[in-house]
Amino acid sequence: DLVKGKRMLALAPGANWPGKIWHLSAYTKLINLLTEEFDGACLLGGPNDVQRSEEILQGANLPTYNLCGTTSLLETARCLAGAKAFVGNDSGVGHMAAALSIPTLTVFGEGEPNRYRPWGDRAKIILSPEKDLVKLPAESVAQALREHLEALKLN
């Protein structure tokens, strides 16, 4: 019930291989760029994401909850269902968010977004320059999320 009554941003900083993982400082910067749009953030993922999520927490200017490695799939779905939006790497959590009709923005570096992206009328993707996530600035992701929410009349 962390998200009840709050404008929460759900984030999933993990993925199944390094080429799919947006750099951690970008997630922290994204949280800090969205302080007017959200009241807090929750980090979702498995046990392998605990350490990276702790790094994201260090510089976050919003209340941010690290739920990585502590929630079942059903509990993750419940957190997503209460979120205003989701941003994450190409991973299963993004597919869950899209399936729940949560406004979803998936960052893509390597991979085939036209084949593996989350689908749905509230799911969007943002491609990194040259398929290199290091070259995708947090400002671009924040702007893409704002535009996505505006298009859905949720901003």
Side-chain angles (χ1 to χ4, degrees):
D1 288 324
L2 293 173
V3 299
K4 191 170 187 168
K6 297 180 183 171
R7 301 172 304 156
M8 296 297 288
L9 174 63
L11 301 164
N16 62 351
W17 52 284
K20 290 181 165 186
I21 298 175
W22 196 30
H23 48 109
L24 304 178
S25 62
Y27 276 104
T28 303
K29 190 167 189 178
L30 178 66
I31 291 168
N32 294 340
L33 288 168
L34 296 170
T35 57
E36 292 184 25
E37 291 87 350
F38 295 93
D39 300 320
C42 58
L43 304 171
L44 301 168
N48 293 338
D49 303 319
V50 173
Q51 171 103 21
R52 70 175 53 101
S53 295
E54 286 298 322
E55 290 181 43
I56 293 167
L57 290 174
Q58 300 307 313
N61 290 336
L62 282 176
T64 303
Y65 307 95
N66 185 0
L67 302 180
C68 292
T70 67
T71 57
S72 68
L73 286 176
L74 288 175
E75 291 166 331
T76 298
R78 184 173 177 187
C79 290
L80 288 169
K84 178 180 176 182
F86 169 84
V87 176
N89 301 321
D90 174 20
S91 70
V93 182
H95 290 276
M96 288 176 66
L100 291 165
S101 293
I102 305 308
T104 300
L105 182 63
T106 302
V107 296
F108 266 91
E110 298 178 33
E112 299 177 48
N114 291 332
R115 183 173 182 186
Y116 295 112
R117 64 172 283 175
W119 294 98
D121 59 352
R122 293 179 150 216
K124 299 289 180 194
I125 63 170
I126 184 167
L127 303 173
S128 59
E130 302 171 34
K131 294 189 172 195
D132 183 353
L133 285 170
V134 172
K135 296 180 179 181
L136 181 62
E139 292 85 358
S140 296
V141 176
Q143 186 59 34
L145 182 61
R146 287 183 188 110
E147 290 171 4
H148 184 35
L149 294 174
E150 180 66 31
L152 294 171
K153 309 269 189 259
L154 296 174
N155 210 5

